[in-house]
Amino acid sequence: MSRRKVLTVIGIVLLLGFAVMAAIPSAIAPYGQKEMFQSWLNPSPEHPLGTNRLGYDIMTEMIYGTRTTLVTGLLSSLISLALGAAVGALAAEEGFIGRMVDGLIDVMAMLPKLVVLIVLGSFIRGGGLSLIILISVFSWSSTARTVRARVIELKHSAFTENLRIEGFSDFHILVRHTIPNTSDILVSRFLLGLNSCIMMESTLSFLGFGDTFHPTWGTMVNMAYRNGAFIRQAYAYLLSPGICIMLLSLSFYFMSIHFSSRKEEVEEVI
Amino acid sequence: MRRELRSMVTAVICFLLVIVLNFLLPRLLPGNPLAYLTGVSEEGLTTVQEEYYVHALHLDEGLSRQFAHYLGSLLDGTLGYSFKKDAPVSSLIADRIWPTLKISVPSLLISSALGLVLGLSSGFATKRRTDSWLTPLMIVLNAVPSFLMALSLVLVFGFKLRLLPYAGLSSFAHLILPVTTLVLGMTPSRYLLVRNMVAVQAKERYVLYARQRGLSDRRIRYSYILGNIAGPFIMALGIGFGLAVSGSVVVENIFSINGMGKLLTEAVYTLDYPLVQGVLFVSTAIMAIAIILSDLAALAVNPKRRLENE
């Protein structure tokens, strides 16, 4: 197996593990979500990562946090993918509109994202869903850029020209040929977008802007940090959610390598 | 020339966009704009106070008049007034800007230098050993959330080994951990950028000819390829500086550095909206200036670009 394939397999296995944790947390978690023990227990065979300030088992908390983390990332990257694809296609138009939209992509790419999101998040306090929408509204620029490049390339390719000469309508060409030919970059952008959305969400949650009712891994680190996990020497509590984020992000990255390299040239879909 | 010019114009538009956003946010969102502009909830105000604030903030005038007043507050350098802290926003930010620059400027310089040197060496020979371990390492490093990096560094060097201080910014030693966190976070993207650009250049004919003339790899890398990638690399520095400033939000919070990032989170927690907006304004301004300067520098290092029209 080539190195690329090995990475893809590792990515899929990691992601499957997280997916199972997200789908059926109650079957995997060692304890119930509201089962209380002594607070600040050290890691032990009974509690692999110890317990937190309220005496909840941290391993359990983390497994239950998988779903919110994954769903937040999935939703925000799906929305940003749709936005990016639409804007990218529009920016590929020739003329005034295309140029304007292309400029908009540049502006969005340049904005200091984290600071803007913190500011908007402080004004719009609406919990998990508004955070998802905010993140996706500010994450589509790189998708739009890639889609724009591909659409322009396709527009000027010989087979599109041929189709046009044969008298197929613009709509037909768009739906049957242009969109199918962007699918590979859409998949790889989706995976990379998941990556950056999860990173953004966890950073915001770590800073305390997350939804405390549906804690993600980032929120967990924030709680650990603020409740004095350092002084209690609960290092596993502080670090393990971050390590999970890293593994999740790597799994998406490994899978994206597979998709981004599979089709290096534009293929004709007829 | 076109590319640099375009990037400069974009930076200015970004800046203007943030100004408009700052003006519209408190006024268009549902809820009393007064609450957003003062940070005091409606219930906490007497009628007299409310009238005073409404008049002081020009909320009784039309939107265009309000915008004029708002622009005035930006131009005279006060950036609005923080009613929570009872001080002009600009004076609050001025105290906090240096610590942020103290950690973000060195980390930008170090990470760029590292990215350049490492990227040049592995992009030049993508089949060789350095590339085969360095690139995966950078990809893994790229996946580490900055707070995880910061917390692990504090844990190892601050708590376990007791080598380095991890709170405040009172001496040079205090700089090491926060700067290391930022450098480790920023190097991968710089490295990958350089590596990919160099890999493209290495396939060019001028490299082949230089090799045939028997020039050393080092010579080819540093006096042939570097010259051709210098422009885009310098342009990326400007955006990198913007990223360093926003990246320092996390770092400042963990290392208890009283910089702009910490000011921002404090302002958010205390609902001090004018201050929150001030920080956004200043960080966008810093970013725009950095981008414009880096674009000018990119033009300066490559005189040919000034004439080319692409």
Side-chain angles (χ1 to χ4, degrees):
Chain A
M1 268 205 299
S2 72
R3 195 161 152 184
R4 195 157 262 160
K5 267 192 189 146
V6 175
L7 287 181
T8 313
V9 171
I10 293 175
I12 291 173
V13 169
L14 273 175
L15 185 63
L16 275 180
F18 285 123
V20 171
M21 275 159 70
I24 37 167
S26 51
I28 300 166
Y31 302 100
Q33 215 175 352
K34 296 285 167 224
E35 251 178 279
M36 282 176 142
F37 305 90
Q38 215 183 318
S39 57
W40 297 116
L41 284 175
N42 280 330
S44 62
E46 289 88 56
H47 302 283
L49 300 173
T51 59
N52 68 10
R53 189 175 65 105
L54 297 172
Y56 294 135
D57 179 63
I58 291 164
M59 187 75 178
T60 309
E61 207 188 342
M62 207 167 72
I63 291 173
Y64 275 95
T66 315
R67 186 183 293 172
T68 21
T69 310
L70 261 181
V71 168
T72 311
L74 269 173
L75 279 179
S76 42
S77 69
L78 269 178
I79 299 173
S80 82
L81 185 77
L83 282 173
V87 175
L90 207 59
E93 290 292 315
E94 277 154 28
F96 182 71
I97 293 179
R99 276 214 302 275
M100 282 292 117
V101 177
D102 191 29
L104 179 71
I105 297 176
D106 283 356
V107 169
M108 290 304 276
M110 218 181 248
L111 279 178
K113 213 163 105 182
L114 184 62
V115 180
V116 172
L117 281 177
I118 291 173
V119 172
L120 286 176
S122 76
F123 275 95
I124 307 163
R125 284 170 188 274
L129 193 64
S130 70
L131 195 66
I132 290 174
I133 292 171
L134 276 180
I135 292 175
S136 42
V137 166
F138 285 91
S139 308
W140 50 260
S141 58
S142 43
T143 308
R145 225 172 239 172
T146 346
V147 169
R148 173 178 176 270
R150 173 63 67 86
V151 170
I152 287 179
E153 193 186 339
L154 287 171
K155 259 187 188 163
H156 297 292
S157 63
F159 83 92
T160 314
E161 218 164 284
N162 190 26
L163 286 166
R164 201 166 286 141
I165 293 166
E166 282 179 46
F168 289 102
S169 69
D170 281 352
F171 183 75
H172 174 91
I173 297 175
L174 179 75
V175 173
R176 299 297 297 272
H177 300 278
T178 312
I179 292 176
N181 263 319
T182 53
S183 61
D184 59 324
I185 56 168
L186 286 184
V187 172
S188 99
R189 282 309 320 172
F190 171 63
L191 291 168
L192 290 174
L194 259 169
N195 215 333
S196 64
C197 287
I198 286 174
M199 280 290 173
M200 197 34 95
E201 187 276 331
S202 65
T203 307
L204 287 170
S205 294
F206 169 73
L207 291 170
F209 303 108
D211 187 347
T212 37
F213 295 107
H214 305 97
T216 60
W217 290 332
T219 326
M220 273 182 74
V221 186
N222 175 42
M223 290 306 223
Y225 185 67
R226 281 215 274 174
N227 289 330
F230 257 124
I231 298 148
R232 303 271 178 177
Q233 305 204 317
Y235 302 139
Y237 187 17
L238 268 178
L239 300 184
S240 50
I243 293 171
C244 278
I245 293 168
M246 177 182 141
L247 290 177
L248 185 62
S249 148
L250 278 178
S251 77
F252 290 131
Y253 187 83
F254 288 160
M255 285 163 59
S256 80
I257 293 178
H258 173 72
F259 284 103
S260 56
S261 64
R262 204 168 50 161
K263 294 186 199 169
E264 255 170 335
E265 285 140 16
V266 185
E267 283 175 17
E268 290 180 37
V269 180
I270 298 175
Chain B
M1 188 85 185
R2 278 266 288 280
R3 192 176 40 185
E4 287 84 356
L5 215 58
R6 186 189 165 100
S7 153
M8 283 189 253
V9 171
T10 309
V12 173
I13 293 176
C14 255
F15 181 59
L16 296 178
L17 193 75
V18 164
I19 290 180
V20 175
L21 186 77
N22 262 343
F23 173 74
L24 289 180
L25 259 183
R27 290 172 175 85
L28 290 190
L29 280 180
N32 192 345
L34 199 59
Y36 289 122
L37 290 169
T38 59
V40 187
S41 68
E42 275 171 79
E43 297 84 45
L45 287 172
T46 62
T47 335
V48 183
Q49 275 175 318
E50 197 176 325
E51 273 169 17
Y52 168 75
Y53 279 135
V54 165
H55 188 69
L57 293 162
H58 310 288
L59 286 175
D60 43 0
E61 296 169 52
L63 261 187
S64 54
R65 292 284 302 159
Q66 284 186 39
F67 191 60
H69 282 295
Y70 171 72
L71 286 182
S73 80
L74 298 182
L75 287 176
D76 67 16
T78 53
L79 306 182
Y81 195 81
S82 161
F83 293 91
K84 283 270 161 83
K85 297 210 164 167
D86 233 347
V89 169
S90 57
S91 72
L92 290 168
I93 295 177
D95 294 339
R96 302 293 199 98
I97 221 166
W98 290 115
T100 301
L101 292 181
K102 247 175 165 172
I103 57 167
S104 51
V105 172
S107 38
L108 178 76
L109 294 178
I110 297 171
S111 66
S112 304
L114 270 177
L116 191 64
V117 172
L118 297 177
L120 268 170
S121 80
S122 64
F124 185 60
T126 44
K127 297 279 188 298
R128 270 192 223 156
R129 213 188 287 146
T130 21
D131 184 51
S132 68
W133 63 264
L134 206 52
T135 305
L137 177 76
M138 290 292 178
I139 286 167
V140 171
L141 214 53
N142 209 11
V144 182
S146 53
F147 56 84
L148 177 65
M149 187 69 82
L151 292 174
S152 333
L153 286 175
V154 171
L155 221 137
V156 174
F157 294 99
F159 271 55
K160 288 279 169 197
L161 301 175
R162 297 185 180 280
L163 274 177
L164 292 163
Y166 48 86
L169 206 57
S170 45
S171 72
F172 177 75
H174 285 84
L175 274 174
I176 297 177
L177 286 184
V179 168
T180 310
T181 310
L182 278 177
V183 167
L184 288 175
M186 287 161 62
T187 307
S189 61
R190 246 120 272 277
Y191 165 82
L192 290 173
L193 173 81
V194 174
R195 178 192 173 270
N196 293 338
M197 286 194 300
V198 172
V200 172
Q201 293 288 329
K203 291 195 188 102
E204 293 281 327
R205 287 222 177 126
Y206 72 90
V207 174
L208 182 71
Y209 296 153
R211 259 203 200 122
Q212 279 180 329
R213 280 165 57 210
L215 297 179
S216 70
D217 280 2
R218 178 190 296 263
R219 179 88 187 271
I220 298 175
R221 276 205 298 263
Y222 285 95
S223 40
Y224 283 65
I225 294 179
L226 179 60
N228 278 318
I229 63 160
F233 179 73
I234 291 173
M235 279 176 75
L237 284 184
I239 295 181
F241 189 61
L243 289 178
V245 170
S246 40
S248 70
V249 177
V250 171
V251 171
E252 283 172 20
N253 273 288
I254 291 177
F255 292 99
S256 320
I257 295 165
N258 283 322
M260 245 180 6
K262 192 130 183 292
L263 185 69
L264 175 64
T265 42
E266 284 168 13
V268 170
Y269 290 142
T270 56
L271 301 182
D272 194 342
Y273 294 106
L275 190 52
V276 168
Q277 296 192 304
V279 174
L280 176 61
F281 175 82
V282 172
S283 38
T284 319
I286 293 178
M287 188 204 68
I289 294 170
I291 287 173
I292 291 172
L293 286 180
S294 66
D295 292 339
L296 289 175
L299 283 176
V301 297
N302 194 348
K304 215 170 87 189
R305 294 278 319 154
R306 279 174 248 158
L307 303 172
E308 274 169 359
N309 197 21
E310 53 145 307

